[in-house]
Amino acid sequence: MQKSLVSLPSEIEHPIDLKSLTISYCEKLTHLPAGVRKLKALEYLDINGCHCLESLPTEEIAGFNSLKLVHWELQQPDFSIKWIPPSHNLRTALYCGLPSVNLSADSFQNLSSLRSLNIISCPELRPLPLGLQHVTTLQSLLIHSSPDLADLPDWLAKLSYLRSLAISNCTCFMSLPEGLKHLNTLQHLSIQDCPHLEREWRKIAHMPRIYVGSLKCGR
């Protein structure tokens, strides 16, 4: 997309069979047109580098029931994500460079297919969203560069299909939940640049694949 683009053309609603939409580095784009609500077949939505985007049209894209992947990467100081598109087919959600991720319990309703959630460089993330405990299909959780995040909740052990957990560059992270040692499905745990977590061996010694170290090693 062009950096000078201020708005998307209203004609975007016409390719009703469109499956993938990527909007990258449209630095003057402030909003998405209401016509996007008609893209019922959309499976992949990727928005990144649109620093002037003020909000997402929640009502307009709430009907994206075919979405399989959503990727927000905005790095907009005043932007806050408060929801995940309520798609039964959504498998992967990536949140990158968002100052605030305020996902309510309602944000996770109907996410019966979500397999992977990545939260990257979201500095105001403190507790994990409570509603995430109901996404029992989740298999992979990655958290990177969330300096205010201090711990993981005990209900993480309820994610009975979780196979991979990666935590990196969360410098205030103090401890892992006790229930983690009972999560028998967890096959891979990676802890990088979280100095307090590196002493939590008692809770993770049973896991088949463990990496504890620093992203800076070898550089």
Side-chain angles (χ1 to χ4, degrees):
M1 291 287 185
Q2 297 180 354
K3 291 185 178 181
S4 59
L5 192 66
V6 177
S7 62
L8 297 179
S10 59
E11 290 80 8
I12 195 173
E13 66 187 53
H14 295 322
I16 57 174
D17 295 326
L18 187 70
K19 292 188 175 183
S20 179
L21 176 60
T22 298
I23 306 172
S24 300
Y25 296 98
C26 297
E27 297 179 355
K28 296 183 179 181
L29 184 69
T30 59
H31 65 280
L32 298 182
V36 298
R37 73 177 71 182
K38 298 183 179 180
L39 301 178
K40 301 295 185 181
L42 198 66
E43 295 182 358
Y44 303 95
L45 177 61
D46 185 340
I47 301 176
N48 65 87
C50 301
H51 307 313
C52 289
L53 192 64
E54 298 172 353
S55 64
L56 294 174
T58 305
E59 295 181 1
E60 281 76 3
I61 61 181
F64 281 0
N65 294 321
S66 297
L67 270 184
K68 294 180 180 179
L69 182 149
V70 61
H71 175 200
W72 311 135
E73 185 169 355
L74 301 176
Q75 297 181 343
Q76 161 58 276
D78 299 322
F79 199 95
S80 176
I81 288 290
K82 297 183 179 179
W83 60 285
I84 294 178
S87 170
H88 293 281
N89 296 307
L90 187 64
R91 293 177 179 269
T92 303
L94 301 95
Y95 294 92
C96 306
L98 301 177
S100 181
V101 180
N102 299 319
L103 298 174
S104 66
D106 293 341
S107 300
F108 293 91
Q109 289 184 355
N110 302 321
L111 295 180
S112 56
S113 297
L114 190 65
R115 302 288 189 270
S116 178
L117 176 62
N118 293 357
I119 302 176
I120 301 171
S121 297
C122 298
E124 293 185 12
L125 179 71
R126 291 182 177 88
L128 279 184
L130 184 61
L132 187 60
Q133 65 181 308
H134 303 301
V135 186
T136 55
T137 57
L138 196 67
Q139 297 179 9
S140 175
L141 175 61
L142 180 149
I143 304 171
H144 175 70
S145 292
S146 295
D148 284 349
L149 190 64
D151 54 27
L152 293 176
D154 289 333
W155 53 253
L156 192 73
K158 295 181 180 180
L159 302 180
S160 57
Y161 285 94
L162 191 67
R163 298 175 58 86
S164 177
L165 174 63
I167 307 167
S168 59
N169 199 29
C170 297
T171 54
C172 289
F173 217 113
M174 299 300 295
S175 64
L176 293 168
E178 288 288 342
L180 201 63
K181 59 187 177 184
H182 302 301
L183 194 56
N184 296 325
T185 57
L186 195 60
Q187 300 292 308
H188 174 264
L189 174 65
S190 176
I191 300 172
Q192 299 177 333
D193 294 317
C194 302
H196 302 293
L197 285 186
E198 293 174 8
R199 299 190 293 268
E200 294 287 274
W201 286 104
R202 176 178 59 86
K203 300 173 183 176
I204 62 178
H206 66 287
M207 295 178 189
R209 298 181 181 87
I210 303 172
Y211 177 81
V212 179
S214 174
L215 292 170
K216 303 178 180 66
C217 290
R219 294 184 180 178

